Amino acid sequence: MQNDPHTTLITADAPVTAETHGGRTKCLQRLVRLELPVPRTVGLSFDAVHKIARGEMPDMAFLLSPFEAGELLCVRPSSEDPDWGGPSAILNIGMNDARFVDLAERLGKEAAASLYARFVHSYAVLVARLDPDVFDEIGMEGQASLSEALRAYEEETDEPFPQDPAVQLAEVLRSMARAWEGTSARLLRQAKGAPADAGLGLVVQSMALGFGAGECGSGVIQLVDGQTGLEQLTGRYLSQSQGRDALDGGSEALFLERDPRGPSLEDLAPQAFEDLIAYATLMRTKLREEMQVEFVIEDGRVHLLDGVRVARNSRAAVRIAVRLAEDGIITRQEALMRIPPSALNELLHKQVDRTRARDVAGRGVAASPGAATGRIVFSAAEAQASAARDEACILVRRETSPEDIRGMHAAKAVLTERGGMTSHAAVIGRGIGLPCVVGASEMRFQIRKKLLTGRDGRVFKEGDVITLDGTHGEILVGEVSLLEATLDDAFKTLLSWADLERDIGIRANADTPADARTAKNFLAQGIGLCRTEHMFFEDDRLTVMREMIFAENSEDRRAALERLLPVQRADFTELFMTMAGLPVCIRLLDPPLHEFLPSDHAGHRGLAEALDLPLSEVTRRVEAMGEYNPMLGMRGVRLGIAVPEIYDMQVRAIFEASINAAKSGAPIVPEIMIPLVSAKREVELVKMRIDVVAAAVRAETGADFDYKLGVMVETPRAALRAQDIAETAVFLSFGTNDLTQMTYGLSRDDAGRFMSEYVKQGVFAEDPFHTLDVDGVGELLILGARRGRAARPDLVLSMCGEHGGNPESIAFCRAAGFDYVSCSPFRVPVARLAAAQLAIFDKLG
């Protein structure tokens, strides 16, 4: 049997693998190799179980041959990944009337009856598929329960309970195999990430009873806390029990080590306790993992039934991996490879405790991770008012605009009806670490009436409390239990190891000094994108900006911009000082001017008062400035060429700020980036004006300085003509948000309405605004990179769109020879880990 590839006695050299027999079978073989006290075990392969599901049973005599006559058995599932689950284990197979008599003499009638009753209950419910309520009412303890269970089985099936152990085992195997192959089970494990054709192995094992004279029972033990990852002996033990009874034993379950709160296993069976600690420690060292051990004690002697990886949250996973590496059990590289980069999001933000019940009112796109509870507000002004009262609030909008920035900063989370992963709310939310759910189109948003209707018809009004789960895209009713963010020493240690491995730079997209401080705290290697427009939406600045927009001529525009120069210079100075000599790439003004103007009648009236103009004139000018598609209109470099005074003011502020910051001793070489370029001539025109301003600042201050000029590649033409543009620009930074939008002809704000259907029907494999389209958009990046470096070999290449923090995008950029990626500050740790894993993977081949 040992050499049979499908019905295999588990020995040290039996031919079993996790890929053919499942993880449990392979783990048991490892325990056997360590000469640990594992009951005799036979493993059935995936192929054998698949055949059983089709009705092709194995040779039962052959299967039973390793076991002693009359020995009780159990059958447990063994899937390739324990997280994929499997049918419930069935214990005490082989229990019948004759065996009951034998065990009654050895264990006593009550204990023997309990063993028999437990088997009848499991067999009736899991194998014969009888009504579980009938048998739950009967119970599983003692002779009365046994008699009633046997009677109920016979009544429900019109036949006596089967007495032949071979028949019992065959039916158990058939039932478990068919359960795994069933549609419900298949859908359930696919939801957990298992492939549709995932196999199931089965483990047939001698029963260690857990009942009898002396100290007998069962329990589980692990050496760490699965919630914190801290070293802590965890588990329970229950006398006279089987399986995982100890976990459901309530007040009857015992502590493992001595505890002032009650009796413990260490008190009752000190030698067994000592053995368990030794076995668990050996497993940790030899299996190179923190393991949960399932055990049975018979008359003081320990039997190990199973060992599974300790279930853990992300916080515990990081601590466990780091401690295993620090103890020399695994390498630092392996510790890095064990943590999914996305898991770090759970450490950076508060999270919903998903072990607790929660009431879901609606769902949307999980656009920015984290969770927050607060009262509903429907405007940015109301959010600011709530913050002033020190009341947590959730800002609810159809979609956000730059005017909502202050309200977003005041809110604890943002919910929008429209939008996708690169919508305004999503980008700003990720940038400032604000939980955000967008595209919640299954809910009804009535902003004017200040009502929000859930998918089931429940109505929420302003002031009602909800919880937003930006990690999973859920809108929850009321206040729910939240887990705190955790940035401990293990987190910092892991990322320090990551920085030693990675071979691509990681910068942050940071628009304000506060964003820059966050980026610096997360050890970003500079700022790869500073969007200057976000600096203009404070009340005092916005009014001046509007005066500039309404100016009749160049001189009036300059006069208004002179008032913005000091605040812009102060912002840039603080930005440079915060980054302390690290590179800072500043994008010149990008959005169309109408975004700085009010869009409603009340706003027009307020602007008319501020500018001392007739309301009709303000309304006319605002309407005249509107564009059919402003995202393809006068914005970016087009605005800089048409209204050059804006860029003149901004570059002057950058140069003067760099001079101020350099006085602290940190060398400052600002990087100036021109947005939305399509042609070489656009860059030349802007560069000529920048050089004029630079010369003027040098003459006025007597200070010398340098700067780097680059282009944000957001149009397909810029990528295709990169060789021309690179003659004037020293760096190209690919803005994949707009580049994806223009390549597909999709609106990133509106595509969410149909994108899920497109993905579902296979039009797109993924939402291209969420996962970089390497075939289409990616080809433009590769063409742009190759052509740009053909013209300028030292051309610096980067990606600064929201894709920049995705592991898949980082892999693409590494392969394409990019120098760095830039992402939201709170995604910097994720990107650092992902980049390290990619480098390690390449080294390992």
Side-chain angles (χ1 to χ4, degrees):
M1 174 177 285
Q2 179 177 330
N3 296 316
D4 186 301
H6 301 298
T7 304
T8 310
L9 177 65
I10 304 304
T11 61
D13 55 356
V16 298
T17 66
E19 292 74 27
T20 58
H21 289 73
R24 173 174 270 134
T25 308
K26 187 61 185 176
C27 182
L28 287 171
Q29 184 184 50
R30 289 174 176 146
L31 301 188
V32 169
R33 286 175 178 168
L34 295 175
E35 299 182 347
L36 294 176
V38 177
R40 185 173 290 265
T41 304
V42 170
L44 294 174
S45 70
F46 295 170
D47 287 344
V49 175
H50 185 60
K51 289 179 179 178
I52 291 171
R54 295 202 312 257
E56 300 176 36
M57 297 302 296
D59 183 334
M60 296 307 296
F62 181 65
L63 174 56
L64 288 168
S65 62
F67 303 105
E68 296 179 8
E71 188 173 11
L72 299 188
L73 306 174
C74 68
V75 178
R76 302 169 188 267
S78 179
S79 55
E80 188 171 343
D81 186 325
D83 292 339
W84 297 347
S88 299
I90 298 180
L91 313 182
N92 302 326
I93 301 165
M95 198 70 195
N96 54 23
D97 295 346
R99 192 73 180 114
F100 167 70
V101 173
D102 293 339
L103 287 176
E105 293 180 3
R106 181 158 64 93
L107 306 178
K109 288 187 177 180
E110 287 297 304
S114 294
L115 292 172
Y116 199 175
R118 285 164 174 259
F119 177 49
V120 174
H121 183 286
S122 297
Y123 192 94
V125 173
L126 300 174
V127 179
R129 310 291 176 186
L130 303 182
D131 186 352
D133 290 341
V134 172
F135 292 88
D136 287 343
E137 290 175 5
I138 292 172
M140 295 182 285
E141 303 300 328
Q143 296 183 75
S145 294
L146 172 60
S147 299
E148 186 64 19
L150 289 170
R151 184 195 60 77
Y153 183 91
E154 190 164 346
E155 283 186 359
E156 294 288 327
T157 62
D158 292 328
E159 59 185 29
F161 189 77
Q163 296 293 303
D164 186 343
V167 171
Q168 294 173 355
L169 179 59
E171 291 303 312
V172 167
L173 296 176
R174 182 183 290 112
S175 173
M176 295 176 78
R178 288 179 174 174
W180 179 262
E181 300 271 331
T183 301
S184 298
R186 185 181 295 111
L187 293 175
L188 182 61
R189 63 178 177 267
Q190 280 184 265
K192 297 177 180 178
D197 60 350
L200 177 73
L202 291 174
V203 167
V204 183
Q205 192 175 63
S206 296
M207 278 296 302
L209 297 179
F211 284 84
E215 183 53 45
C216 297
S218 65
V220 295
I221 183 174
Q222 59 192 52
L223 303 179
V224 296
D225 186 314
Q227 294 298 309
T228 66
L230 296 174
E231 191 173 359
Q232 179 180 336
L233 190 62
T234 305
R236 301 287 268 178
Y237 171 76
L238 184 63
S239 293
Q240 304 298 316
S241 70
Q242 290 186 313
R244 301 176 77 84
D245 288 352
L247 298 180
D248 303 319
S251 61
E252 295 182 2
L254 307 182
F255 296 102
L256 294 175
E257 58 187 336
R258 288 192 180 92
D259 195 296
R261 293 171 293 177
S264 68
L265 176 61
E266 188 175 9
D267 294 320
L268 290 178
Q271 186 58 54
F273 174 79
E274 185 179 325
D275 290 344
L276 276 170
I277 299 298
Y279 296 155
T281 302
L282 181 64
M283 289 170 65
R284 176 180 186 264
T285 303
K286 296 300 184 179
L287 302 187
R288 306 167 64 252
E289 182 57 278
E290 293 289 357
M291 304 293 289
Q292 183 186 79
V293 184
E294 186 175 342
F295 65 91
V296 167
I297 296 177
E298 281 189 319
D299 195 16
R301 184 181 172 212
V302 174
H303 302 270
L304 302 185
L305 306 184
D306 196 12
V308 296
R309 178 178 174 273
V310 169
R312 65 201 68 178
N313 59 23
S314 296
R315 169 173 39 179
V318 170
R319 281 180 174 162
I320 288 171
V322 168
R323 196 158 63 88
L324 286 171
E326 289 177 336
D327 289 348
I329 294 172
I330 62 175
T331 64
R332 291 180 176 184
Q333 288 184 330
E334 188 171 353
L336 290 166
M337 297 301 285
R338 287 189 177 190
I339 307 299
S342 59
L344 297 189
N345 283 325
E346 297 183 26
L347 306 185
L348 300 172
H349 311 275
K350 287 184 177 181
Q351 299 292 329
V352 169
D353 184 353
R354 296 179 72 80
T355 64
R356 305 284 186 89
R358 57 195 188 279
D359 185 358
V360 181
R363 287 186 170 86
V365 177
S368 180
T373 299
R375 299 186 180 278
I376 296 173
V377 298
F378 289 91
S379 73
E382 290 160 352
Q384 290 176 278
S386 290
R389 296 191 299 270
D390 202 24
E391 291 180 356
C393 68
I394 308 294
L395 178 60
V396 176
R397 304 287 290 156
R398 289 199 188 282
E399 57 189 342
T400 61
S401 69
E403 285 185 293
D404 292 313
I405 289 288
R406 285 166 292 157
M408 294 177 73
H409 278 280
K412 297 297 183 183
V414 174
L415 169 64
T416 70
E417 180 183 21
R418 302 170 185 155
M421 287 299 291
T422 56
S423 63
H424 179 269
V427 171
I428 299 303
R430 288 193 294 272
I432 63 177
L434 187 71
C436 181
V437 176
V438 301
S441 55
E442 64 178 23
M443 303 183 77
R444 187 182 181 197
F445 288 63
Q446 295 172 279
I447 303 299
R448 288 187 179 180
K449 293 183 178 181
K450 297 185 177 181
L451 297 175
L452 177 68
T453 305
R455 59 182 181 179
D456 57 1
R458 281 182 291 181
V459 177
F460 304 90
K461 61 184 184 301
E462 186 175 49
D464 287 347
V465 174
I466 61 172
T467 297
L468 213 65
D469 184 351
T471 304
H472 298 93
E474 293 180 340
I475 300 93
L476 308 174
V477 179
E479 186 172 355
V480 303
S481 177
L482 299 181
L483 302 174
E484 292 296 325
T486 308
L487 302 181
D488 57 13
D489 290 341
F491 174 86
K492 296 173 184 176
T493 297
L494 187 81
L495 288 179
S496 71
W497 295 346
D499 290 338
L500 296 174
E501 297 290 341
R502 63 183 171 85
D503 53 11
I504 187 171
I506 307 293
R507 294 197 198 179
N509 300 340
D511 304 334
T512 65
D515 293 342
R517 285 190 289 274
T518 302
K520 187 78 180 297
N521 289 339
F522 288 140
L523 300 185
Q525 294 173 288
I527 293 174
L529 172 63
C530 173
R531 309 173 187 88
T532 52
E533 57 269 16
H534 293 149
M535 297 176 173
F536 291 114
F537 282 96
E538 296 294 333
D539 281 335
D540 54 341
R541 305 179 187 194
L542 189 57
T543 300
V544 179
M545 190 69 177
R546 288 169 172 173
E547 286 183 24
M548 186 278 297
I549 293 171
F550 270 70
E552 296 286 350
N553 54 56
S554 178
E555 286 302 315
D556 290 345
R557 283 196 291 272
R558 284 198 184 93
L561 289 167
E562 279 293 324
R563 294 163 59 194
L564 285 176
L565 176 63
V567 293
Q568 183 100 116
R569 180 174 58 229
D571 284 339
F572 290 145
T573 300
E574 188 175 354
L575 204 62
F576 292 141
M577 296 285 284
T578 299
M579 298 313 292
L582 292 173
V584 175
C585 181
I586 298 171
R587 184 181 73 182
L588 300 177
L589 195 68
D590 180 48
L593 293 179
H594 83 275
E595 286 197 6
F596 297 94
L597 300 176
S599 56
D600 57 7
H601 182 74
H604 293 172
R605 187 172 62 249
L607 181 57
E609 292 173 355
L611 301 181
D612 193 24
L613 291 173
L615 176 60
S616 59
E617 174 68 8
V618 169
T619 302
R620 183 187 66 78
R621 294 280 297 275
V622 170
E623 290 176 350
M625 206 166 289
E627 299 177 70
Y628 285 113
N629 190 342
M631 286 298 95
L632 298 176
M634 195 173 80
R635 52 168 285 217
V637 69
R638 301 159 194 170
L639 179 66
I641 291 173
V643 189
E645 299 84 3
I646 297 176
Y647 280 10
D648 289 350
M649 181 275 290
Q650 287 197 296
V651 296
R652 173 175 280 274
I654 291 170
F655 294 147
E656 292 177 355
S658 67
I659 293 171
N660 291 340
K663 294 174 183 176
S664 67
I668 305 296
V669 180
E671 299 175 2
I672 298 173
M673 184 157 65
I674 307 172
L676 210 73
V677 165
S678 296
K680 174 185 177 181
R681 182 59 178 161
E682 292 173 318
V683 185
E684 291 174 340
L685 289 171
V686 173
K687 186 177 187 302
M688 282 191 292
R689 294 195 69 103
I690 292 176
D691 287 340
V692 168
V693 174
V697 172
R698 289 189 185 103
E700 294 165 14
T701 62
D704 196 17
F705 57 86
D706 198 4
Y707 77 93
K708 296 178 181 178
L709 183 67
V711 162
M712 193 168 183
V713 179
E714 302 167 89
T715 67
R717 193 179 193 279
L720 294 172
R721 303 305 302 169
Q723 69 271 31
D724 299 334
I725 293 170
E727 293 176 9
T728 309
V730 300
F731 67 87
L732 299 182
S733 189
F734 289 82
T736 52
N737 299 355
D738 268 343
L739 187 57
T740 298
Q741 187 169 234
M742 295 186 192
T743 301
Y744 275 85
L746 288 174
S747 165
R748 65 190 186 192
D749 295 312
D750 298 326
R753 299 180 185 180
F754 61 85
M755 188 56 67
S756 60
E757 193 63 31
Y758 258 47
V759 172
K760 189 185 302 180
Q761 296 196 35
V763 179
F764 302 147
E766 297 284 351
D767 181 341
F769 293 111
H770 186 204
T771 301
L772 180 69
D773 165 31
V774 296
D775 296 326
V777 179
E779 186 168 355
L780 285 172
L781 265 67
I782 291 173
L783 281 173
R786 287 176 180 169
R787 293 177 180 181
R789 281 201 169 144
R792 184 188 289 268
D794 61 348
L795 183 71
V796 174
L797 299 172
S798 67
M799 177 191 290
C800 63
E802 281 302 306
H803 295 103
N806 293 346
E808 302 88 351
S809 303
I810 296 172
F812 177 88
C813 289
R814 286 181 71 249
F818 279 40
D819 296 281
Y820 69 87
V821 296
S822 188
C823 56
S824 302
F826 281 90
R827 300 184 81 183
V828 167
V830 176
R832 289 164 64 193
L833 178 58
Q837 290 182 346
L838 290 164
I840 292 169
F841 187 81
D842 282 353
K843 289 175 186 176
L844 298 177

